[in-house]
């Protein structure tokens, strides 16, 4: 999958992404350690989230797989970017690029479409910043990674090559909490504590 804009700003609306290793030792992170990614996302109220969403769907995260995001500049020839399904050696090689950022590609099966050019039963790719490379966990502070097997309501925006990104990091991520009810996965950044399917259908008309 091709990378997402020079500073990753257009991937999920982040203005700044910085890495800071969460370990007491200096140097390169080692297996078992965690590296935090600091992101500056725009904030959303409910009308803003609805207005910015090109994809609003309910469904299930089917599978996840590691990938990386590398710079891509509008108007220039894109740098060669790693594709999904890389071998461990290829991922490691890609990560030698100082500008590469670990990410996770989520295969998401759509069950209900509130907005977007997709159909129920279709699988789409959701790209999230953060993931595990060589045993090192890279995590955006405040973000919640989608988990395979869990059901969600997602508010997304276009990414590159047909993939989607979740608005506001995890502001647009809601996880099922009951029949037709979805709770904010990241309450501190979400515009509402929960949505119902009926409410979302009304808001996206």
């Amino acid at each position: 999958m091709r990378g997402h804009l020079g500073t990753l700003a257009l991937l999920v609306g982040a203005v700044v992404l910085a890495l800071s290793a969460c370990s007491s030792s200096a140097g390169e992170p080692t297996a078992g350690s965690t590296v935090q990614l600091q992101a500056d996302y725009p904030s959303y109220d409910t009308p803003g989230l609805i207005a910015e969403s090109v994809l609003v769907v309910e469904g299930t995260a089917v599978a996840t797989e590691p990938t990386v995001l590398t710079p891509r500049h509008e108007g220039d020839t894109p740098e060669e970017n790693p594709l999904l399904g890389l071998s461990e050696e290829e991922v490691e090689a890609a990560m030698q690029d100082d500008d590469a950022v670990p990410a996770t590609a989520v295969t998401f099966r759509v069950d209900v479409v509130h907005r977007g050019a997709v159909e129920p039963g279709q699988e789409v790719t959701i790209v999230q910043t953060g993931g595990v490379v060589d045993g090192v966990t890279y995590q955006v502070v405040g973000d919640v990674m989608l988990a395979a097997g869990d059901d969600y309501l997602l508010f997304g925006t276009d990414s590159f090559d047909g993939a989607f990104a979740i608005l506001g990091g995890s502001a647009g991520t809601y996880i099922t909490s009951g029949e037709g009810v979805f709770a904010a996965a990241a309450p501190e950044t979400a515009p509402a504590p929960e949505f119902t399917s009926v409410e979302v259908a009304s808001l996206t008309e």
Side-chain angles (χ1 to χ4, degrees), residues 53 55-58 108 126 146 152-156 166 172-174:
S53 296
L55 182 78
V56 182
V57 293
E58 299 174 31
F108 190 83
I126 306 291
L146 302 182
Y152 298 92
L153 163 68
L154 300 180
F155 297 84
I166 300 169
T173 301
Y174 286 75

Side-chain angles (χ1 to χ4, degrees), residues 50-128:
I50 297 298
E52 291 293 325
S53 296
V54 300
L55 182 78
V56 182
V57 293
E58 299 174 31
T60 304
V62 176
T64 64
E65 104 178 271
T67 187
V68 293
L69 306 176
T70 55
R72 179 170 180 164
H73 303 279
E74 287 297 319
D76 299 332
T77 301
E79 294 183 16
E80 183 176 355
N81 291 279
L83 301 175
L84 295 178
L86 290 176
S87 67
E88 290 183 11
E89 292 77 14
E90 290 169 324
V91 170
E92 184 175 354
M95 286 304 298
Q96 299 308 310
D97 180 348
D98 290 339
D99 292 324
V101 175
T104 300
V106 182
T107 301
F108 190 83
R109 187 189 68 239
V110 175
D111 295 326
V112 178
V113 180
H114 295 288
R115 177 180 293 167
V118 296
E119 300 292 335
Q122 182 178 343
E123 291 184 347
V124 298
T125 300
I126 306 291
V127 179
Q128 292 186 281

Side-chain angles (χ1 to χ4, degrees), residues 33-59:
S33 64
T34 297
V35 173
Q36 290 190 335
L37 304 171
Q38 296 286 344
D40 183 11
Y41 296 117
S43 60
Y44 292 96
D45 56 14
T46 296
L49 186 72
I50 297 298
E52 291 293 325
S53 296
V54 300
L55 182 78
V56 182
V57 293
E58 299 174 31

